[in-house]
Amino acid sequence: MADAVGGGALVYGPGPAGAYFANANAQHKDSDPVQSKHPTSGADMGGHAGNHAAAGLDVSSTKPAVGAPYSGMGIASVESGANTAGNGGDGHFYGGIIHASLLIYEPINISVSMGYGSVALANQSNDLNVDQSAFQMAGVGGHGGNDNIAAGGSVNTFSGSGVIASGDNSAGNGGSGYFSGAIVDAPVVIYHPINIAIAGSGGTAHASQSNTVDIDQSATQIAGVGGSGGHGNVAAGGSVITLDPGWGSSNGGGIFDVQTGGNQAGNGGYGVFYGELVHTSFVVYSPINIAIAGYGSSAYAVQINDVSVDQSAVQIAGVGGHGGNDNAAAGGHASLLSHNLWGGSDTIATGSNSAGNGGNGYFAGSLIDVSVAVYAPINIAIAGPHSTAVADQVNNVHIDQSAVQIAGVGGDGGHGNLALGGDAAHLLSDLHLVA
């Protein structure tokens, strides 16, 4: 950021010459004395906690007395604010995150004995664990750091200035999260074991099937979430002291605009979501157990199933970050004294400060949870005349299709925060706006 200094203004500052005249159209370099200073060595844009400080350096400027060479302009702009420290970076996501797992598991077990008085045995034991759970996160803003300080530097001037800005500082604010697209979780499981035993006339058919199945298709989907504000942060506008000695002179000028407010500390970032969160789990579980025996024989069909299916979903979108705690945002002090009957300050702004506010949540789209579970075990025992047929089936089934869906929720305000407008002391001969 470069500051333009009015032509002919004698500016005092560090440097070998001590003072020099500045051209009205000159753009200062980083080495120029009247310059906005924004040290970034302590800035934390990654969102993690830390102790950082960003401060504008003090600025002093003096206008020569009336009648001196080039005495008519003054300082056009003095800026020492707009400092940042420990703020979480914004998260941006545009596109699609798709999780579409597919599993087909279908063991087949067949035993056939056709001789008279023979025995057919078919035993099947299955222990299956399928994990198709998913964790999907996109467009999440970083958290604001802790114990950060962002302050505008002090401004001391004895000349009329067009703009003096030492506010608009921010510290420890959570970054906003932006998401536009789709998050899709669509796992599919097909589990279909088949067990068949066939015996001839006078024989014995025995089909035994035991299944222990655990299928996890749970999903956690997070998109468009603003980062939480940090704790113990301070954002303050720098002090402004100005004295205009131009009593009633035509070249006295005056302060056009003094701004030391607009500071923010520990506010939660916005959560913005556009698109769809889709969770569509699908399970087909259909074990088949068949035992067939001939004339004068016995048939036994035993089936034991322990099944646990988890299709639960947690979907969060468009949630504003929580405001931090114990943060302070204050406008700097403004002390102005003008003897110019026609001068003075048009605007003095030390307000518009905010601290510890929860970010808003914005959501536009759909949260979809479509879980389908088909569980149809089949157990068949067939025996001829004068025979015995026994079909036993024991099923222990647990199916969880619960869903938690959260969208468009604003963050909570923090605790122990302070937002104050700075003091304004204004001594002048005419009436002006104090905001």
Side-chain angles (χ1 to χ4, degrees):
M1 183 184 304
D3 298 322
V5 178
L10 184 62
V11 180
Y12 289 91
Y20 67 97
F21 291 97
N23 192 314
N25 298 320
Q27 296 295 324
H28 284 280
K29 302 179 181 178
D30 291 341
S31 60
D32 291 340
V34 179
Q35 176 74 13
S36 172
K37 302 296 183 181
H38 299 170
T40 58
S41 61
D44 175 18
M45 299 306 293
H48 58 273
N51 303 315
H52 308 292
L57 299 181
D58 296 344
V59 177
S60 298
S61 67
T62 302
K63 189 184 76 173
V66 178
Y70 305 101
S71 60
M73 298 299 293
I75 304 299
S77 179
V78 176
E79 298 181 0
S80 64
N83 305 295
T84 61
N87 298 318
D90 295 340
H92 300 271
F93 178 87
Y94 301 94
I97 295 181
I98 299 175
H99 174 67
S101 298
L102 174 63
L103 174 66
I104 299 176
Y105 181 79
E106 190 172 5
I108 298 174
N109 187 25
I110 299 175
S111 176
V112 178
S113 178
M114 300 304 297
Y116 180 81
S118 61
V119 177
L121 301 175
N123 296 318
Q124 190 178 81
S125 178
N126 300 310
D127 294 324
L128 179 64
N129 188 316
V130 178
D131 184 1
Q132 290 183 324
S133 60
F135 181 84
Q136 298 170 310
M137 179 181 294
V140 179
H143 298 298
N146 299 324
D147 303 324
N148 302 291
I149 298 175
S154 298
V155 178
N156 300 320
T157 177
F158 290 90
S159 70
S161 298
V163 176
I164 298 178
S166 64
D168 198 21
N169 305 295
S170 61
N173 298 314
S176 299
Y178 300 94
F179 177 90
S180 177
I183 294 182
V184 180
D185 175 59
V188 177
V189 172
I190 299 175
Y191 178 78
H192 191 186
I194 298 174
N195 187 29
I196 299 175
I198 300 175
S201 178
T204 299
H206 185 192
S208 177
Q209 189 179 86
S210 177
N211 299 310
T212 301
V213 180
D214 182 15
I215 299 175
D216 183 3
Q217 290 182 321
S218 61
T220 300
Q221 297 170 311
I222 301 174
V225 179
S228 300
H231 306 289
N233 301 292
V234 177
S239 299
V240 176
I241 301 175
T242 180
L243 174 63
D244 183 2
W247 181 281
S249 63
S250 60
N251 56 7
I255 306 299
F256 296 159
D257 196 356
V258 176
Q259 299 175 354
T260 64
N263 304 296
Q264 299 180 356
N267 298 317
Y270 293 143
V272 181
F273 176 88
Y274 299 96
E276 294 180 344
L277 267 70
V278 181
H279 174 65
T280 56
S281 298
F282 186 79
V283 173
V284 177
Y285 177 79
S286 180
I288 298 175
N289 189 29
I290 299 175
I292 300 174
Y295 179 82
S297 58
S298 299
Y300 300 92
V302 180
Q303 190 178 86
I304 300 174
N305 298 310
D306 294 321
V307 180
S308 176
V309 178
D310 184 3
Q311 291 180 323
S312 61
V314 177
Q315 296 172 312
I316 301 174
V319 179
H322 298 298
N325 301 323
D326 302 321
N327 301 289
H333 300 288
S335 299
L336 308 177
L337 177 60
S338 175
H339 298 290
N340 189 347
L341 294 176
W342 310 107
S345 299
D346 291 337
T347 302
I348 300 175
T350 62
S352 299
N353 306 297
S354 61
N357 298 314
N360 295 326
Y362 299 97
F363 176 86
S366 300
L367 268 71
I368 301 174
D369 175 62
V370 181
S371 298
V372 177
V374 178
Y375 178 78
I378 299 174
N379 189 26
I380 300 175
I382 300 175
H386 309 295
S387 59
T388 300
V390 178
D392 294 330
Q393 188 180 81
V394 178
N395 297 312
N396 295 317
V397 181
H398 176 73
I399 299 176
D400 184 1
Q401 291 180 322
S402 62
V404 176
Q405 296 171 311
I406 301 175
V409 179
D412 296 328
H415 305 285
N417 300 292
L418 182 64
L420 294 175
D423 298 332
H426 194 191
L427 300 177
L428 70 163
S429 57
D430 53 350
L431 297 179
H432 295 277
L433 176 63
V434 177

